[in-house]
Amino acid sequence: MLSEYQLADATATLRGPVFGRRRGLAALNTGTAFGVGLATLWLSLLVFIPLGAVVWQGQKDGLGSFWDAATAPEAAAAIRLTVGSALLVALANAAFGTLIAWVLVRDDFRGKRVVDALIDLPFALPTIVAGLVLLTLYGVNSPVGLELAFTRAGVVVALLFVTLPFVVRTVQPVLLELDVEMEQAAASLGAGKFTTFRRIVLPNLLPAISAGTALAFARAISEFGSTVLISGNLPFKTQVASVYIFAQVETDNTGGAAAVATVLLVIALVVLLGLDLLQRWAARHA
Amino acid sequence: MRLSQSPIVRLVGVVLVAVIAVTACGDDSKPSAVGTADTTAATQAATDPATAAAVELPAAELSLVAYSTPQEAYEKIIEAFKATTQGKNITFTKSFGSSGDQSRAVVAGLEADYVAFSLEPDVTRLVKEGLVAEDWNDDPYGGNVTDSIVVLVVRKGNPKHITGWADLAKPGVEVITANPFTSGGARWNVMAAYGQIIEGGGTEAEGVAYLNALFENVPVQDDNARKSLQTFTSGKGDVLLAYENEAIFAQQNGQDIDYIVPDATILIENPVAITTSTGHLEQAKAFLDYVRGPEAQEIFADNGYRPVIDGVEGPYDFPTPTGLFTIADFGGWSDVSKKFFDPKQSIMADVERAIGVSVG
Amino acid sequence: MPRYTLRVVGLAYLTLLVGVPVGLIFWRTFENGIGPVVDSLTDSSVLHAFRVTAIVAFWAVLLNTVFGVGVAILLVRHRFPGRRLLSVLIDLPIAVSPVVVGLALILVYGRFAPIGGFLDDHGIKVIFAYPGMVLATMFVSLPLVVREVAPVLEEIGIEQEQAAWTLGANRLQTFRRVTLPAIRWALAYGIVLTLARSLGEYGAVAVVSGRLIDKTQTATLVVEERFQNFDQTTAYAVSVTLAIVAIMILIVINVLRPEEPS
């Protein structure tokens, strides 16, 4: 199947220079510029300018103080814990999220719709409630006998809870739109279920899985409300980056807070870019 | 499928109708705030408390920004104030949150007439920004409206037989306190823990050593004092360091705890101030005077706070520890904040690092 | 059989991770019966807080949906320099810790900040008023609609839209009749996720709301306040209400969705 870009390019060569007048997509060219401009303006007002102000705040007292703040031992420990947990959680979500989406779309059983509705619950609950209930479940008088509170494992569980809907909900719509004929064709040609999944379905799902995983990772590194309750916030041991940043703001060390926030932003950008590249590579080698 | 049949459109329609319905009903009317056209009667009355109480103040909406623990007390005090002749025409907007957050919000532009925080540095922050006058605490109470002390909270019946500060540094005892870098309450805890060594004749080095030993026993550091109280009541830890009024509050709410008043502990002083940006100085001052008056102090006492005026008998026993000291004994908050709580270089920063390095 | 294995594994994961905690929340809420729950939910401050949350969530969802669909189409159907960078940057807001979101917005739109000061001089309050809360909520839920719609747009390909153009339809008609129906379920999920996030957002809104009782106190702020005051019933009741609203919308969508994948 030709991608729309190959199609556009083909059309262009037939009809004129790339940014010249093209029929079909020509009407969209000015639209593109307008759209990009509008999107950029909106994003600037909402995201870029405020985040830029934070980055600015971080280096206001000079790059030396920025570096000191970003590499302070507690900060480094918090960042390590946060990024490590987030990566773990993102991967877990990629696997389980896809599995759950598959079960919800392709399988059928009594109560499936109830289960489907439950997926968004962790998202709609105020994070403080999520944190509190997880603390009750895995805290000192744990009814399930698992005392995970105030440990790093507790942090991971809290993050898994709040990032659950991401991969599930990005993969579900794609699975719904997926053309089953290709799978049926593969089956009729003798491909096993797993091969069919790997060769036919997965490549089509990869953009969605990647999108959901990126979101899960991003949410995991910024989560505060639930982790602050269950982690115990011991510096160097169970203090996540967002709690550390909070502590810096509380001690009027806004520059230090901004510096660590900037580091996290950069790490997030790198991981998001990485996921994007991975997705492109996978699409080419499908 | 036609657009009007699209589930999305129908959904949006339903939500729109719902939101309009919800926003349509509901009263948003605010009483109009009359400006500071102060009558001479009110100005005269302000100097004479007896007649002051009998004069109706011009209508105003006062904005009260306070820390979260005295919320119940202030709600009651406001109701009582509105029932007086003075306060009849005064309405309030109220905001309660963690002391540091509220202070920073006011700096960021949150409108406030009357601010109440859990410790002085949160007011000093406003003074630095010019939002509170420099002579804000030039009164017989040092700017404070309530007092409390740091106590040791234990499980009901004191199963671990905690008797005093020395027990907290022993191995095997779990102590709960909030993180002193995010919680004003925890700072009082730290100064109490440090100060009781000094009070007992110890040196500064011994005080710091005690802090190190104490924090070795801290398994959890919540970000504010109320959360640490709830961590304790949910079953974690053997001892909790808390304000006396927090312990009383927990007991009032059915929590199974006891508290020990140590012989040596710090006097917690909670400041209030009127902002320079207030447009209703008369009314704000009147309210502040009311808060320091017998009715309001009685309400505070009912909620577990120690009154700052004499002659107020609350339902609770407020024993005076023999070794009671104040923050002034250590140079006041300006010195203490720098020496103990500077995130980059300070005694507590070293303590936190030491426990991290030794075990992590 | 792999089908049953998948189902069992999936359901087990969900039960352990979500089912048990959520069950506990519901149990805690109704522990003392329905009476206290109804009482706490009909308290005037709580009702006002629900109203605040509803208004903020409505605007955040509306604006993010419009923005989300527009950007998804832009990213998938158009080509321009910086397209991939834009795609990556869209996800960035979710990676920002709530404290930093609040800090960032105050630095720019606070009363003593450049843009905020300008607006304040002209009588527009952003921070500690509704616009600030909407901005904060939009910030934390920005990519959700985009990330739902974009993969589906890519999956369905451009052929149908091209067919529409060759048949003489203009852009708007094509969008209404071809694109929108194709992405409707992705859009629906995106709206639900955005709504759920907007209802449950606490950290960023807490910083910019000012917590003015009966004015800018949202439902999640009430939850925190009630927990602080040992009023667990109200806190749980409000949380459960928020969660149920999100679920109701989803149930409505599921009911409208055809059984078979289209």
Side-chain angles (χ1 to χ4, degrees):
Chain A
M1 171 171 78
L2 278 181
S3 83
E4 57 272 23
Y5 306 110
Q6 292 167 303
L7 204 56
D9 280 344
T11 330
T13 45
L14 283 175
R15 294 204 168 126
V18 175
F19 289 109
R21 280 140 291 287
R22 290 180 289 173
R23 283 255 293 273
L25 285 168
L28 302 162
N29 203 18
T30 41
T32 309
F34 180 72
V36 175
L38 200 63
T40 314
L41 177 67
W42 188 248
L43 277 175
S44 299
L45 283 174
L46 185 62
V47 178
F48 300 144
I49 296 179
L51 286 182
V54 169
V55 175
W56 173 261
Q57 190 84 350
Q59 57 80 55
K60 211 174 48 157
D61 298 322
L63 281 174
S65 83
F66 178 96
W67 183 253
D68 287 337
T71 54
E74 301 92 333
I79 292 174
R80 267 199 306 270
L81 171 64
T82 304
V83 175
S85 312
L87 281 173
L88 191 64
V89 164
L91 288 172
N93 270 311
F96 278 104
T98 313
L99 188 154
I100 293 170
W102 182 272
V103 170
L104 287 176
V105 174
R106 291 296 175 88
D107 201 351
D108 203 7
F109 49 87
R110 280 241 307 264
K112 186 175 84 156
R113 289 212 157 154
V114 173
V115 175
D116 193 19
L118 281 181
I119 304 283
D120 289 317
L121 255 178
F123 219 37
L125 282 173
T127 47
I128 187 177
V129 174
L132 217 90
V133 88
L134 288 173
L135 189 60
T136 316
L137 269 180
Y138 303 113
V140 174
N141 302 314
S142 166
V144 294
L146 274 171
E147 207 180 306
L148 294 173
F150 314 128
T151 66
R152 295 178 185 192
V155 172
V156 172
V157 171
L159 292 176
L160 280 174
F161 186 84
V162 299
T163 53
L164 177 75
F166 284 119
V167 176
V168 177
R169 291 299 187 220
T170 47
V171 171
Q172 256 182 312
V174 177
L175 267 178
L176 284 170
E177 291 291 331
L178 207 56
D179 197 352
V180 291
E181 286 170 2
M182 284 192 291
E183 292 164 69
Q184 287 167 344
S188 71
L189 287 172
K193 280 205 175 213
F194 186 63
T195 319
T196 315
F197 180 76
R198 193 164 54 91
R199 292 251 173 129
I200 311 274
V201 180
L202 197 56
N204 285 308
L205 289 184
L206 213 53
I209 298 178
S210 160
T213 309
L215 287 175
F217 176 80
R219 175 80 195 264
I221 61 170
S222 69
E223 178 59 22
F224 177 81
S226 55
T227 47
V228 79
L229 279 174
I230 200 173
S231 68
N233 307 315
L234 290 178
F236 294 105
K237 283 188 271 178
T238 57
Q239 191 185 51
V240 297
S242 48
V243 174
Y244 177 81
I245 292 174
F246 179 65
Q248 298 313 298
V249 171
E250 294 281 315
T251 46
D252 288 316
N253 184 14
T254 338
V260 176
T262 310
V263 171
L264 280 179
L265 271 177
V266 169
I267 293 179
L269 258 174
V270 166
V271 172
L272 292 174
L273 268 169
L275 276 169
D276 191 57
L277 284 171
L278 179 73
Q279 180 200 327
R280 263 199 284 172
W281 174 90
R284 264 204 296 271
H285 290 71
Chain B
M1 182 194 276
R2 287 220 313 255
L3 201 61
S4 56
Q5 287 178 337
S6 157
I8 313 290
V9 176
R10 280 194 274 178
L11 187 63
V12 171
V14 164
V15 172
L16 263 172
V17 169
V19 170
I20 291 171
V22 165
T23 52
C25 53
D27 187 22
D28 235 352
S29 62
K30 293 189 304 192
S32 53
V34 173
T36 50
D38 59 319
T39 62
T40 38
T43 342
Q44 267 179 348
T47 55
D48 179 2
T51 50
V55 176
E56 250 180 64
L57 289 165
E61 188 177 62
L62 288 181
S63 176
L64 178 141
V65 173
Y67 67 116
S68 50
T69 41
Q71 179 172 359
E72 250 183 62
Y74 270 114
E75 305 261 11
K76 294 207 186 89
I77 291 173
I78 287 172
E79 287 313 306
F81 181 67
K82 294 206 304 210
T84 66
T85 333
Q86 244 195 339
K88 247 171 47 177
N89 302 318
I90 305 192
T91 53
F92 287 82
T93 54
K94 303 161 273 186
S95 170
F96 297 99
S98 117
S99 190
D101 288 342
Q102 295 291 75
S103 168
R104 256 182 303 277
V106 176
V107 168
L110 182 63
E111 272 160 26
D113 299 301
Y114 173 100
V115 294
F117 300 126
S118 70
L119 72 183
E120 203 189 271
D122 289 331
V123 182
T124 318
R125 185 182 288 120
L126 300 187
V127 175
K128 277 201 202 120
E129 302 285 331
L131 292 165
V132 164
E134 283 200 19
D135 61 349
W136 67 277
N137 51 355
D138 249 352
D139 59 50
Y141 307 98
N144 302 310
V145 292
T146 51
D147 287 337
S148 191
I149 55 171
V150 172
V151 299
L152 311 177
V153 181
V154 295
R155 308 266 167 224
K156 202 162 187 78
N158 198 358
K160 289 249 172 166
H161 308 295
I162 307 285
T163 51
W165 290 102
D167 291 331
L168 271 54
K170 295 198 183 128
V173 176
E174 280 193 341
V175 180
I176 308 291
T177 168
N179 186 312
F181 291 101
T182 56
S183 161
R187 293 189 186 197
W188 287 115
N189 292 343
V190 166
M191 293 320 295
Y194 172 85
Q196 53 91 19
I197 296 284
I198 309 294
E199 175 70 22
T203 64
E204 198 178 290
E206 283 164 354
V208 174
Y210 179 80
L211 284 178
N212 273 300
L214 177 70
F215 271 82
E216 292 261 349
N217 287 342
V218 175
V220 177
Q221 288 185 35
D222 289 293
D223 58 302
N224 67 43
R226 188 51 70 84
K227 276 193 187 136
S228 67
L229 172 62
Q230 287 173 327
T231 300
F232 183 75
T233 53
S234 74
K236 185 79 181 163
D238 305 312
V239 186
L240 165 75
L241 295 176
Y243 295 9
E244 183 188 43
N245 59 268
E246 286 285 272
I248 293 176
F249 181 74
Q251 284 178 330
Q252 281 174 336
N253 281 282
Q255 304 298 315
D256 276 334
I257 53 160
D258 278 333
Y259 64 94
I260 298 164
V261 176
D263 288 330
T265 187
I266 197 166
L267 181 71
I268 296 174
E269 296 158 292
N270 310 122
V272 299
I274 296 177
T275 59
T276 53
S277 55
T278 177
H280 313 291
L281 192 58
E282 251 65 50
Q283 293 90 334
K285 274 214 175 103
F287 181 67
L288 178 51
D289 289 334
Y290 185 78
V291 171
R292 288 215 186 96
E295 293 101 14
Q297 291 286 313
E298 184 76 48
I299 293 174
F300 274 126
D302 288 339
N303 280 279
Y305 293 86
R306 295 181 174 220
V308 291
I309 64 174
D310 296 319
V312 174
E313 285 294 322
Y316 300 103
D317 198 25
F318 291 131
T320 309
T322 47
L324 189 67
F325 49 90
T326 67
I327 199 72
D329 295 329
F330 300 103
W333 276 111
S334 46
D335 281 356
V336 167
S337 298
K338 219 179 169 63
K339 190 164 164 200
F340 283 81
F341 304 110
D342 186 296
K344 290 176 209 148
Q345 191 59 33
S346 64
I347 293 179
M348 277 318 294
D350 290 337
V351 169
E352 298 272 21
R353 272 187 206 126
I355 45 171
V357 168
S358 65
V359 187
Chain C
M1 273 204 66
R3 167 181 275 222
Y4 289 123
T5 329
L6 285 181
R7 192 195 299 176
V8 164
V9 170
L11 287 181
Y13 183 78
L14 280 178
T15 314
L16 280 173
L17 190 64
V18 182
V20 172
V22 168
L24 188 61
I25 293 176
F26 274 86
W27 186 55
R28 280 270 165 99
T29 311
F30 296 104
E31 227 179 351
N32 302 316
I34 274 250
V37 173
V38 174
D39 284 336
S40 48
L41 288 179
T42 48
D43 173 78
S44 70
S45 291
V46 171
L47 283 176
H48 191 277
F50 275 128
R51 203 172 124 210
V52 173
T53 296
I55 295 173
V56 171
F58 171 75
W59 284 108
V61 170
L62 182 67
L63 293 170
N64 265 346
T65 305
V66 169
F67 171 80
V69 173
V71 169
I73 293 178
L74 202 64
L75 286 177
V76 178
R77 296 273 183 264
H78 293 218
R79 216 176 186 191
F80 52 89
R83 190 177 63 91
R84 293 232 100 99
L85 182 65
L86 181 67
S87 172
V88 170
L89 287 176
I90 297 269
D91 276 337
L92 208 58
I94 281 204
V96 181
S97 173
V99 169
V100 179
V101 176
L103 177 70
L105 288 173
I106 287 182
L107 282 175
V108 176
Y109 297 104
R111 190 140 66 108
F112 307 119
I115 301 184
F118 171 79
L119 289 171
D120 194 62
D121 289 338
H122 292 74
I124 305 174
K125 285 199 69 176
V126 177
I127 302 294
F128 307 130
Y130 278 99
M133 296 196 285
V134 172
L135 280 179
T137 312
M138 283 186 64
F139 193 104
V140 299
S141 56
L142 191 75
L144 294 170
V145 172
V146 179
R147 290 300 173 220
E148 287 289 332
V149 171
V152 174
L153 271 179
E154 242 181 86
E155 173 60 32
I156 60 177
I158 203 176
E159 292 102 5
Q160 286 178 313
E161 286 162 35
Q162 296 226 299
W165 295 326
T166 56
L167 287 172
N170 66 28
R171 256 185 302 155
L172 190 59
Q173 284 173 319
T174 313
F175 178 74
R176 265 183 57 207
R177 299 217 168 174
V178 179
T179 319
L180 201 53
I183 60 171
R184 65 183 187 270
W185 300 121
L187 188 59
Y189 281 129
I191 292 178
V192 169
L193 274 181
T194 311
L195 177 68
R197 185 67 204 266
S198 305
L199 291 175
E201 174 53 26
Y202 166 74
V205 173
V207 177
V208 299
S209 81
R211 301 167 189 260
L212 297 163
I213 297 181
D214 290 337
K215 286 209 176 151
T216 59
Q217 197 186 38
T218 62
T220 46
L221 286 172
V222 164
V223 168
E224 190 216 14
E225 184 207 287
R226 296 285 100 218
F227 261 133
Q228 298 249 357
N229 291 307
F230 287 102
D231 183 1
Q232 303 231 332
T233 311
T234 310
Y236 279 123
V238 172
S239 310
V240 162
T241 311
L242 291 175
I244 286 181
V245 168
I247 295 182
M248 294 302 316
I249 310 279
L250 185 69
I251 289 179
V252 166
I253 290 175
N254 274 343
V255 163
L256 295 173
R257 174 157 59 94
E259 276 291 353
E260 244 73 41
S262 50

